[in-house]
Amino acid sequence: QVQLVESGGGLVQAGGSLRLSCAASGSSFSIYRMGWYRQAPGKQRELVAEITSGGRTNYAESVKGRFTISRDMAKNTVYLQMNSLNVEDTAVYLCNALVPAGDLRGNYWGQGTQVTVSS
């Protein structure tokens, strides 16, 4: 199994910054892609950013130029640096890991961390 533990959420004023971390444990060597999703009240879960084991990244249009995803393979940790936050970024942010093959094949999710941006 793969376990994901997020940290770094909190309350910040508009224009501020936060950095989220997601540490993977267990059979983390099987992970191909890690990413961050978010879900605001009454809205569907949406992709924020993702990064593959090869370092290829993908971002939602709404966060391009403001958020940066990175991955420390040695620490099995993925980070999301969020700058120029606005109230629309308020959501629960969830870490995701994809294991594409093998006995542990599947999508794994963390518990989520709340990010609240005040105006």
Side-chain angles (χ1 to χ4, degrees), residues 34-46:
M34 294 186 73
W36 289 94
Y37 286 70
R38 66 186 180 187
Q39 188 162 19
K43 294 188 177 181
Q44 288 189 331
R45 187 174 296 184
E46 63 176 357

Side-chain angles (χ1 to χ4, degrees), residues 102-116:
D103 293 343
L104 300 179
R105 181 177 66 248
N107 257 315
Y108 294 87
W109 295 93
Q111 296 280 69
T113 185
Q114 177 71 46
V115 171
T116 303

Side-chain angles (χ1 to χ4, degrees), residues 78-99:
V78 65
Y79 305 96
L80 185 67
Q81 178 65 43
M82 305 186 294
N83 299 327
S84 302
L85 285 160
N86 56 58
V87 293
E88 289 76 28
D89 295 317
T90 295
V92 174
Y93 283 70
L94 301 110
C95 181
N96 171 264
L98 173 66
V99 177

